[in-house]
Amino acid sequence: MPLLFGELSGFPSWVPVVLLVSLSFVLGFLARLILLRFIRYWQIRDRKLFKSLEKHLSGSMFFFVPLLMINVGVNYIDFHPESLSLITNIINVFIIMSFCSVLIRLTNVAQDMLYIRYDINISNNLRARKIRTQIIYVKKVVIVILVLFCVSLILLSFPGVRKFGTTILAGAGVAGIIIGFALQKSLVNLFAGIQIAFTQPIKIDDAVVVEKEWGWIEEINLTYVVVRIWDLRRLVLPITYFTENPFQNWTRNNAQILGSVFLYVDYSMPLEPLRKHFEKVLSETKLWDQETSVLQVTDTTEKTMTIRMLMTAQNSPIAFDLRCYVREKMIEFIQQNYPESLPQVRASLTDSGGEKVGKGVAE
């Protein structure tokens, strides 16, 4: 390389620069091509891993390798010492940024592999949801640490910053106290997130009731949580909400949900046919998980009796559909077979003298 650029000494100063940059990007393209070929060759052994590597690393490696080549080749170009120092520092900054990008993308690869291992698209996904919640939060913390580390390296690459290093360290105690007060709310959110990630009052895909809204935990971020409401709205709450306020978690220990349906019928309604039809309705649908089915009279009034039907389903969305299905089928059964047992209002008719002259029933 010294011979190559030495032979170009008679050319304008920009020619070696253009040649170096072009050659570096060509080599970077070749390195990327070789990497992709290698990944595709080894996909036979572990297709999912290498597919993730190809997805996340193909772009970042295209810049990382050329920057390394430029950093080496720039020393063989005739630059003024001050200009060479500035150019080297700038290139080092981009190398650090590119390296940080590669590390962050490797965390994405690790996340993909763990997601494959802990699949939540199964019926009994409690353990998978626990692990995924921790993975998401740990990944975000790791990315923050990597970014801070790379920013520190960038700052330390400038001699002027290193000179003030001792002064900065001497004032770190006082600065830490000031920053602590300034970022008190952010630090509270950070520690609340750590608490949630490992004690797990909520997990990814948990069914919860918060602020009188029912939905699922969609995202757990460093400072906030996104709840997907049943009608596809999004409820965004600070992460401290789940450590400071009561809320309902329907899938804390198990995704299985116990659903209930209430019917209000007349006292003339026979219970045994109703109970048999309820069992028949459940046996004919795949929404029921065949665990629990109970029909009971739970309350009475002067006009009607309250019949409660309990049934279980694998998760809350299925339980909602099951409740609607059972409610429709039971109402249809009563309408077709016992219409006289629908709620009625009974009245006694008397004349002006107070003597009973008849009675009637108003449906």
Side-chain angles (χ1 to χ4, degrees):
M1 189 172 288
L3 294 176
L4 175 62
F5 291 114
E7 293 175 358
L8 297 174
S9 58
F11 288 86
S13 59
W14 57 267
V15 173
V17 176
V18 172
L19 182 61
L20 173 63
V21 173
S22 302
L23 182 61
S24 298
F25 275 97
V26 168
L27 291 175
F29 178 79
L30 291 175
R32 176 176 177 270
L33 185 63
I34 293 171
L35 176 65
L36 291 178
R37 291 286 184 183
F38 175 79
I39 289 174
R40 287 168 184 168
Y41 175 77
W42 286 96
Q43 273 187 354
I44 301 173
R45 296 192 174 185
D46 193 341
R47 183 176 181 83
K48 294 177 180 178
L49 171 61
F50 288 100
K51 187 176 181 180
S52 179
L53 287 171
E54 180 181 1
K55 174 184 175 182
H56 294 293
L57 291 182
S58 58
S60 57
M61 293 300 293
F62 181 72
F63 293 100
F64 183 64
V65 175
L67 287 170
L68 289 177
M69 299 298 299
I70 293 173
N71 190 47
V72 174
V74 75
N75 295 307
Y76 299 106
I77 298 178
D78 187 18
F79 283 119
H80 190 275
E82 293 183 359
S83 300
L84 179 62
S85 176
L86 177 62
I87 293 172
T88 302
N89 285 335
I90 293 174
I91 294 173
N92 287 336
V93 168
F94 282 104
I95 289 175
I96 293 171
M97 293 172 62
S98 180
F99 182 65
C100 180
S101 174
V102 171
L103 293 179
I104 290 174
R105 290 172 183 269
L106 284 175
T107 62
N108 291 331
V109 173
Q111 177 182 264
D112 289 346
M113 293 300 98
L114 291 171
Y115 273 17
I116 292 171
R117 182 173 181 180
Y118 299 101
D119 186 11
I120 62 174
N121 297 317
I122 56 177
S123 57
N124 187 12
N125 60 4
L126 180 63
R127 174 173 168 76
R129 291 189 292 110
K130 285 183 177 181
I131 300 298
R132 280 207 179 192
T133 302
Q134 294 174 345
I135 291 170
I136 290 172
Y137 196 81
V138 170
K139 176 199 167 186
K140 294 180 185 299
V141 172
V142 168
I143 290 176
V144 170
I145 293 173
L146 286 175
V147 171
L148 292 176
F149 178 70
C150 290
V151 170
S152 301
L153 289 179
I154 290 172
L155 293 176
L156 291 174
S157 65
F158 294 95
V161 176
R162 287 199 297 267
K163 289 181 181 179
F164 293 101
T166 305
T167 306
I168 293 173
L169 289 175
V174 177
I177 295 173
I178 296 173
I179 293 173
F181 278 110
L183 300 178
Q184 183 178 6
K185 192 69 175 178
S186 299
L187 292 175
V188 168
N189 287 331
L190 178 63
F191 286 112
I194 294 174
Q195 179 182 348
I196 285 176
F198 292 96
T199 61
Q200 296 191 334
I202 56 172
K203 302 176 291 296
I204 292 296
D205 211 35
D206 264 348
V208 295
V209 178
V210 289
E211 298 294 312
K212 299 181 180 180
E213 297 281 4
W214 176 73
W216 298 269
I217 300 296
E218 186 175 49
E219 296 179 27
I220 300 178
N221 295 292
L222 291 177
T223 57
Y224 65 92
V225 175
V226 178
V227 180
R228 186 178 77 253
I229 307 302
W230 64 272
D231 58 0
L232 301 184
R233 289 177 295 140
R234 299 301 190 272
L235 181 63
V236 181
L237 298 166
I239 200 165
T240 52
Y241 178 93
F242 294 93
T243 59
E244 298 175 354
N245 299 283
F247 62 94
Q248 296 182 40
N249 188 337
W250 291 6
T251 54
R252 175 70 174 86
N253 297 315
N254 197 329
Q256 188 183 57
I257 290 291
L258 181 68
S260 60
V261 172
F262 290 89
L263 293 178
Y264 302 92
V265 297
D266 189 72
Y267 282 93
S268 62
M269 179 70 210
L271 296 178
E272 196 57 32
L274 199 63
R275 185 173 284 110
K276 288 182 179 180
H277 187 70
F278 171 60
E279 294 173 355
K280 180 176 179 292
V281 168
L282 289 180
S283 64
E284 292 175 348
T285 178
K286 295 181 179 179
L287 299 174
W288 182 48
D289 64 1
Q290 301 183 358
E291 288 289 333
T292 302
S293 63
V294 178
L295 186 147
Q296 296 172 316
V297 177
T298 57
D299 196 10
T300 57
T301 67
E302 69 278 6
K303 298 177 182 178
T304 61
M305 56 181 177
T306 303
I307 296 177
R308 184 185 67 181
M309 290 164 284
L310 298 178
M311 66 225 77
T312 51
Q314 291 181 352
N315 53 52
S316 53
I318 296 177
F320 180 80
D321 292 338
L322 178 61
R323 291 168 60 199
C324 295
Y325 175 78
V326 169
R327 188 180 294 112
E328 292 171 3
K329 292 297 181 181
M330 297 304 292
I331 292 174
E332 181 182 344
F333 174 75
I334 296 173
Q335 288 174 336
Q336 293 178 356
N337 298 278
Y338 301 94
E340 70 281 358
S341 295
L342 292 170
Q344 301 174 352
V345 177
R346 293 177 173 82
S348 296
L349 304 178
T350 60
D351 58 15
S352 58
E355 294 184 5
K356 186 180 293 187
V357 296
K359 61 181 180 179
V361 176
E363 297 183 356

